[in-house]
Amino acid sequence: MVSFTTGAPAAAYSGDADSLGDINKMVEMFSATAALCKLDYQGVMYIHGVSYAGRDDDAKIEEQREMCREYAAKVIAKIRSITE
C-alpha cells in the first residue's frame, strides 16, 4: 500500500491545463512498480492540502489536524483489512 500527502489542494491535481498534473496518472506508476518487483500491491491512498501554508492560523492548523486524523483512521482501517 502506498500512502502520501500533497501540500496543494485536490484542484491542483485535477489534470486541467493550470494544474500541477493529474493525480490519477501520477499514481499509475506504483502498481507497475509493484508488479515488476512482484509485490502484493494494495493500492494507493492520499490526502490533499496538508501543507505549511497557514501554519500561523490556528483555525487552519486545527482544520489540517482534523483532516489528518480522519485520514490516519482510514489508513489504519486499510492496514487492518490487509493484515487480518
Side-chain angles (χ1 to χ4, degrees), residues 34-74:
L36 179 66
C37 296
K38 299 188 184 333
L39 299 173
D40 181 14
Y41 182 66
Q42 295 294 318
V44 62
M45 297 178 72
Y46 51 87
I47 182 174
H48 294 291
V50 179
S51 77
Y52 290 101
R55 292 291 169 110
D56 56 349
D57 179 337
D58 289 340
K60 183 69 174 169
I61 291 168
E62 188 51 39
E63 178 185 334
Q64 285 191 23
R65 281 185 183 148
E66 185 56 31
M67 285 175 28
C68 290
R69 285 184 196 106
E70 292 172 8
Y71 179 72
K74 290 177 185 177

